Amino acid sequence: MHIDDVVTVPVIGKVTAIQDVPKWQETTEASFGGIVAIRFTQPIAFDTDAPLCSLATGFIVDAQRGIILTNRHVVGTGPFVGEAVMHDHEVVEVQALYRDPIHDFGFLKFDPSHIKYMKLVEIPLAPEQARVGIDVRIIGNDAGEKLSILAGSISRIDRNVPEYGHMTYNDLNTFYLQSAAALSGGSSGSPVIDIEGRAVALQAGGRSHEATNFFFPLDRVQRALKLIQDGKPVLRGSIQTRFKYVPFEVAQKLGLPEETEAMVRQVRPHGIGMLMVATLLPGGPGSLAGLEESDVLLRINGDIVTHFVSLEDILDSHIGRTIDVTVVRGGETVEVSVAVQDMCKLTPSRLVTFGGCVVHDLSYQLAYTCALPLRGVFMTTSGDCLPDMDDSQGIIIDRINEHAVSNIDEFVEVLRKIPDHEPTTIVSYTITDIHTKESTMVSLTHQWNQINMYTHNNSTGLWDRTKIKWSPRPTDIKPVNVRLPELTDPRAGKAAKLMQSIVSVFCGFPLSIEGINKPRAADYGVVVDAARGLVVVSRRTVLLSLCDIYITIANSLCIPATLRFMHPEHNFAIIQYDTKRIGDSNICAATLSTKRPQQGDPAYMVTFNRTSNTMCVNTVVSDMWDISITP
């Protein structure tokens, strides 16, 4: 090949970039009045959102109505408290206006009349302008900075949703845009601006160690904003199916015939792939209709569908109706009719709290994490009343005693009827292992654990509280026969009789006060009056008067007790149990000596060992002095 045959490409990029500098400067400066820093708090764990205080970004999309666009993981799915900081540092309160059930966008609202010194700028949405190769600017609250401007170029517009990990928020059924730009925390919700000052995408996430950034496309955002501006509900349809975009070469391996591929390429000449069924929720419309994972989507209602926007347009407009879906499965064409559900009704909008515990219906997001049926009561926080349950594993409550619970209405109905101090069995499993069920025995006290239900108010964006009335079922106190172990070793002498006076004492502390932050304490106590049920116990066990006390007799009978006296200085307290709960027993009251022990006196320590077997240790009084006992 001769050198004359080489085609030389004109070097114009540098010149063009230099010429664009004044234009970019003008564009970014004009956008500053529409971009806000968001300081927000999500005060309670809900769905995939942990409680946190953080920073983010948003931008004004309707200055007249005071509507700010940001990410769903900023608005959150649960309670939200926040404020927006304008470019001139005016601060205004914001409330949650809308969050999409699955996509990573949401709207906040503020009162425009509260902005007194700055002219609000409205940034127009232009999803159709997002193209590969265009230069963009991401303007936002990057790394806690009030305003940062980062440059980048869009490299992909048909990327599948990024995966952020287990038990956290992950988008589905949408394309994402990709760019090379090193962003960090606080940039979520930043507008992705083109040189004309239009928002072509929404900053959503990225990988900082790879300098890769993910942008959410604005097609569905534009639709939702228009409906909100018109005062209409934002309807979202679902068939409980997650799709994934695969290139034609993968579709071929899944059985897509060559002639079908040729037809699709002719109808969609700019497409490079098709949608594939990736996940079906058991019991969902897609699963019940006969769809299977790895099916390649071909048509819906006779129209070829290869794009997520087209798919969601159809689902959103057919809520409560059925659609005819044609898929390719192993080279064969299969047609099914699928019912379309209202996605908003599948998304939890209520939560229940009691004793620090927080539960709500299993969410759409969490169900997709492990392909679970969309039912069950999910525990986001175990609280003080269920301290032995590890909420980091994603707990789903299956039963309370003999009652199965599949939603929070059934959960509340069972919970409100449980009497105080009644031993209650909670059967649960984790979201990652539905086949292994664990039982936890608890005793709930409604005195400390008020049941509250919070419901999201779509009009105000707030969560309205309803107190659930405790209505325990009547219970009959039936005395239980119990026998304490006896010490038969003759070497114990008279001390052997004390084994029939020792009981186990458990003390739970519902609140952390007076510097005591232990949730519970346990030790032994001595019965000093069997007729009245009086027990002397160490103050190291009964640390606070604000407590729940239980005694266990012979490792078999657990009954509640009441604190009757706590010495303000010395190391003892007196508790009392209800003697009506005990039938035939060999409990004896210990005889208290009036003689002050002296150094060198013989003594017997009567107690239980680690395996709860009786033991008696012969010893002598070596010394007597004041000591300080640490809780």
Side-chain angles (χ1 to χ4, degrees):
M1 182 176 66
H2 299 289
I3 193 166
D4 295 337
D5 297 330
V6 178
V7 178
T8 303
V9 178
V11 182
I12 61 173
K14 185 175 182 181
V15 176
T16 304
I18 294 174
Q19 293 174 344
D20 285 346
V21 169
K23 177 63 174 175
W24 271 118
Q25 184 175 0
E26 179 185 343
T27 297
T28 53
E29 289 180 352
S31 302
F32 290 163
I35 300 171
V36 302
I38 300 172
R39 298 193 291 240
F40 69 96
T41 299
Q42 295 172 0
I44 195 168
F46 189 84
D47 197 1
T48 58
D49 300 323
L52 58 83
C53 296
S54 190
L55 301 171
T57 307
F59 60 98
I60 299 171
V61 292
D62 190 326
Q64 181 180 355
R65 296 177 177 85
I67 300 177
I68 297 172
L69 172 63
T70 186
N71 291 123
R72 177 188 187 268
H73 69 261
V74 175
V75 180
T77 51
F80 170 91
V81 179
E83 59 185 14
V85 183
M86 301 295 168
H87 182 55
D88 68 342
H89 286 268
E90 290 186 75
V91 180
V92 62
E93 183 182 357
V94 292
Q95 291 89 32
L97 175 62
Y98 171 80
R99 69 267 282 174
D100 192 83
I102 56 172
H103 294 326
D104 198 9
F105 77 92
F107 295 109
L108 301 172
K109 62 178 179 179
F110 68 97
D111 189 344
S113 65
H114 291 173
I115 305 301
K116 301 177 181 179
Y117 306 105
M118 187 189 77
K119 182 179 179 181
L120 296 176
V121 174
E122 186 177 300
I123 297 179
L125 304 181
E128 69 284 352
Q129 299 299 322
R131 302 185 303 275
V132 173
I134 67 168
D135 291 334
V136 293
R137 298 291 186 270
I138 304 99
I139 309 175
N141 181 26
D142 184 56
E145 298 292 336
K146 173 64 176 64
L147 199 64
S148 294
I149 304 172
L150 296 174
S153 299
I154 294 178
S155 58
R156 292 185 62 183
I157 60 173
D158 57 358
R159 187 195 192 285
N160 277 306
V161 296
E163 296 181 2
Y164 298 121
H166 175 66
M167 288 291 294
T168 188
Y169 170 74
N170 291 285
D171 210 331
L172 63 147
N173 289 349
T174 182
F175 287 124
Y176 265 65
L177 284 62
Q178 184 171 308
S179 171
L183 294 175
S184 56
S187 61
S188 293
S190 300
V192 181
I193 303 289
D194 69 1
I195 198 168
E196 300 299 329
R198 300 167 297 196
V200 300
L202 176 69
Q203 159 66 20
R207 298 193 183 102
S208 57
H209 60 283
E210 298 177 0
T212 301
N213 228 42
F214 306 129
F215 305 145
F216 182 77
L218 299 180
D219 305 87
R220 310 310 294 168
V221 176
Q222 195 173 51
R223 169 186 176 269
L225 178 60
K226 181 66 168 60
L227 290 170
I228 291 173
Q229 291 170 332
D230 293 342
K232 298 178 181 179
V234 183
L235 301 178
R236 303 284 279 111
S238 171
I239 57 173
Q240 296 191 29
T241 303
R242 181 174 69 91
F243 291 89
K244 184 178 180 180
Y245 190 69
V246 296
F248 281 115
E249 58 177 318
V250 175
Q252 292 170 4
K253 296 175 182 178
L254 296 174
L256 181 69
E258 184 176 345
E259 59 274 13
T260 304
E261 178 185 345
M263 181 268 295
V264 173
R265 285 182 179 271
Q266 183 178 6
V267 177
R268 302 284 186 266
H270 300 295
I272 61 170
M274 301 178 71
L275 299 179
M276 177 198 74
V277 176
T279 305
L280 289 161
L281 295 191
S287 176
L288 295 176
L291 291 177
E292 296 181 4
E293 293 180 359
S294 298
D295 285 349
V296 178
L297 179 62
L298 183 59
R299 291 187 178 89
I300 298 181
N301 291 342
D303 296 327
I304 292 178
V305 177
T306 61
H307 198 284
F308 284 115
V309 174
S310 303
L311 170 67
E312 293 202 303
D313 278 338
I314 295 173
L315 295 180
D316 293 348
S317 60
H318 285 79
I319 296 174
R321 295 185 286 170
T322 59
I323 55 175
D324 297 323
V325 180
T326 304
V327 297
V328 176
R329 180 184 303 160
E332 301 293 330
T333 300
V334 178
E335 296 183 359
V336 297
S337 293
V338 187
V340 180
Q341 296 178 325
D342 185 347
M343 189 188 302
C344 296
K345 292 183 179 179
L346 304 178
T347 305
S349 59
R350 298 179 299 167
L351 64 89
V352 171
T353 64
F354 67 101
C357 178
V358 181
V359 299
H360 59 72
D361 289 328
L362 182 66
S363 73
Y364 211 50
Q365 282 287 327
L366 291 168
Y368 274 112
T369 300
C370 297
L372 300 178
L374 195 55
R375 64 174 181 270
V377 176
F378 181 74
M379 179 184 294
T380 65
T381 307
S382 57
D384 294 331
C385 64
L386 302 173
D388 297 325
M389 303 181 76
D390 185 4
D391 52 45
S392 66
Q393 300 300 312
I395 295 175
I396 298 178
I397 297 176
D398 184 61
R399 289 198 324 272
I400 300 178
N401 292 331
E402 70 278 8
H403 303 286
V405 290
S406 59
N407 54 59
I408 60 170
D409 290 320
E410 295 177 358
F411 176 85
V412 168
E413 188 60 25
V414 173
L415 190 67
R416 63 190 290 266
K417 293 181 179 180
I418 297 176
D420 266 355
H421 306 292
E422 180 177 276
T424 302
T425 302
I426 298 180
V427 180
S428 63
Y429 56 89
T430 64
I431 198 169
T432 55
D433 186 4
I434 64 175
H435 303 293
T436 303
K437 296 184 178 181
E438 296 185 358
S439 297
T440 303
M441 182 70 73
V442 298
S443 293
L444 303 178
T445 308
H446 292 268
Q447 178 181 1
W448 316 118
N449 306 322
Q450 170 66 46
I451 306 174
N452 293 304
M453 179 178 288
Y454 295 85
T455 304
H456 182 247
N457 188 320
N458 292 324
S459 301
T460 64
L462 303 177
W463 290 70
D464 300 329
R465 185 182 72 160
T466 303
K467 289 185 177 181
I468 305 299
K469 185 179 179 181
W470 179 43
S471 180
R473 63 180 181 276
T475 56
D476 295 328
I477 298 178
K478 297 180 179 180
V480 177
N481 298 332
V482 62
R483 306 298 295 180
L484 284 161
E486 297 181 2
L487 190 60
T488 58
D489 193 325
R491 290 174 296 177
K494 295 180 179 179
K497 194 69 174 177
L498 288 175
M499 293 306 305
Q500 295 168 237
S501 305
I502 300 176
V503 296
S504 299
V505 180
F506 172 89
C507 192
F509 311 107
L511 299 174
S512 297
I513 60 174
E514 298 183 13
I516 305 298
N517 55 10
K518 294 175 63 174
R520 66 187 76 88
D523 216 322
Y524 293 104
V526 178
V527 178
V528 293
D529 190 330
R532 295 180 176 86
L534 297 178
V535 178
V536 173
V537 64
S538 167
R539 279 216 41 193
R540 191 175 181 181
T541 305
V542 184
L543 296 168
L544 301 169
S545 59
L546 187 70
C547 61
D548 291 321
I549 304 174
Y550 300 89
I551 68 167
T552 303
I553 303 172
N555 280 341
S556 59
L557 175 61
C558 181
I559 58 177
T562 305
L563 178 63
R564 291 305 182 194
F565 174 75
M566 176 185 290
H567 198 284
E569 295 179 354
H570 299 321
N571 183 31
F572 77 93
I574 299 176
I575 62 176
Q576 184 177 30
Y577 61 88
D578 187 356
T579 56
K580 295 179 181 178
R581 293 178 177 268
I582 300 175
D584 181 36
S585 74
N586 61 342
I587 298 176
C588 295
T591 302
L592 302 181
S593 173
T594 58
K595 179 184 176 182
R596 183 179 177 85
Q598 301 294 322
Q599 188 175 11
D601 285 351
Y604 298 88
M605 184 179 72
V606 181
T607 185
F608 295 89
N609 60 18
R610 293 182 178 179
T611 58
S612 299
N613 291 321
T614 59
M615 61 180 291
C616 180
V617 179
N618 295 343
T619 184
V620 295
V621 178
S622 60
D623 205 348
M624 297 180 62
W625 67 91
D626 294 335
I627 61 173
S628 176
I629 298 179
T630 304

